[in-house]
């Protein structure tokens, strides 16, 4: 955890301590402990999709006779798949490459998915408090829902096919109070939606980069967020 929460509690003289003065960090933590909906990215925030993505990309290379640098692609997870494929695949072959990628990801890669630390606990804590859990992701809805189901993650709503600031309308329309993500683009989305962004350092972006991108708070993984929601 990159900022420490100051929790109220009894003092030596029997009085109650108060919360620290409001800051970006305590605003994010308060939103996690509040009553509003909680939003989250999918890839490398809730689910480790690296192995599944690599498997699907290798299928694109094999079936479409491409030479995608799988390691480089996976290291950049976050932007839309079509946009990333364009770095290696000629424009006229992208539709077929996307089709093969999504088909292989859902039918074969799904077995390679794993929920990241704290993801299941966070979803359970949100449900136990009667709150809504909204997933906003660059993955298309069909693929996103398949990945969530495979990992036992139940969302109140899934909005797919949006990245960066294009996530902001979905965050706002679903009345999300705080948005969690591993990517700098997720922090930009939260800022544009006017809600605190919580950076999750389970992806390829370090805490410092997430803070520079506007994160109000950065956690090592979702375990800390789950504990706050359930507190």
């Amino acid at each position: 955890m990159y900022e420490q929460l100051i929790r109220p509690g009894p003092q030596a003289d029997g009085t109650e301590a108060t919360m620290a003065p409001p800051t970006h960090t305590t605003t994010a933590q308060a939103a996690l402990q509040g009553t509003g909906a909680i939003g989250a990215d999918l890839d490398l925030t809730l689910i480790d999709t690296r192995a599944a993505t690599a498997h699907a990309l290798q299928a694109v290379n094999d079936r479409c006779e491409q030479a995608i640098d799988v390691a480089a692609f996976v290291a950049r997870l976050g932007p839309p798949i079509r946009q990333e494929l364009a770095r290696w695949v000629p424009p006229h072959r992208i539709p077929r490459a996307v089709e093969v990628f999504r088909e292989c990801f859902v039918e074969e890669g799904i077995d390679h998915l794993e929920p990241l630390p704290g993801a299941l606990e966070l979803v359970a804590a949100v449900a136990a408090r009667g709150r809504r859990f909204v997933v906003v992701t660059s993955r298309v809805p069909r693929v996103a829902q398949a990945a969530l189901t495979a990992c036992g993650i139940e969302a109140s709503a899934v909005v797919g096919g949006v990245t960066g600031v294009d996530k902001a309308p979905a965050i706002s329309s679903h009345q999300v109070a705080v948005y969690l993500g591993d990517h700098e683009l997720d922090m930009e989305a939260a800022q544009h939606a006017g809600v605190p962004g919580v950076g999750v350092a389970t992806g390829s972006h370090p805490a410092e980069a997430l803070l520079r991108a506007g994160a109000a708070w950065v956690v090592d993984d979702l375990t800390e967020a789950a504990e706050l929601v359930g507190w």
Side-chain angles (χ1 to χ4, degrees), residues 82-178:
R82 185 181 297 269
Q83 174 183 316
E84 290 297 284
L85 285 172
R87 300 178 65 217
W88 292 278
V89 181
H92 68 285
R93 293 192 173 184
I94 287 180
R96 175 57 179 162
V98 170
E99 179 184 359
V100 170
F101 176 88
R102 288 176 177 163
E103 175 185 322
C104 187
F105 187 95
V106 171
E107 295 182 3
E108 301 172 20
I110 216 83
D111 293 333
H112 299 280
L113 298 174
E114 293 285 346
L116 284 162
L120 297 178
E121 292 82 356
L122 174 62
V123 174
V126 172
R129 296 296 179 274
R131 300 170 67 181
R132 301 179 69 248
F133 188 72
V134 181
V135 176
V136 186
T137 172
S138 63
R139 298 276 180 180
V140 296
R142 176 178 68 88
V143 175
Q145 187 59 67
L148 292 167
T149 299
C151 290
I153 296 174
E154 186 172 346
S156 307
V158 178
V159 180
V162 287
T163 304
V165 297
D166 290 336
K167 290 184 175 184
I171 292 172
S172 297
S173 65
H174 284 276
Q175 298 182 315
V176 167
V178 57

Side-chain angles (χ1 to χ4, degrees), residues 48-93:
D48 189 341
T49 56
R50 287 171 286 205
T53 299
H55 183 84
L57 289 170
Q58 191 56 55
V60 173
N61 280 342
D62 295 342
R63 300 178 196 177
C64 301
E65 299 182 341
Q66 296 302 305
I68 299 167
D69 185 332
V70 174
F73 190 112
V74 171
R76 287 172 48 89
L77 276 181
I81 296 299
R82 185 181 297 269
Q83 174 183 316
E84 290 297 284
L85 285 172
R87 300 178 65 217
W88 292 278
V89 181
H92 68 285
R93 293 192 173 184

Side-chain angles (χ1 to χ4, degrees), residues 6-20:
I6 301 174
R7 295 177 176 173
Q11 303 300 287
D13 61 2
T15 61
E16 288 287 318
T18 58
M19 293 293 289

Side-chain angles (χ1 to χ4, degrees), residues 182-185 187-188 204-215 218:
D182 70 288
H183 203 286
E184 295 168 41
L185 292 172
M187 301 304 99
E188 294 175 11
S204 58
H205 298 267
E208 294 75 14
L210 294 169
L211 289 167
R212 284 197 302 270
V218 178

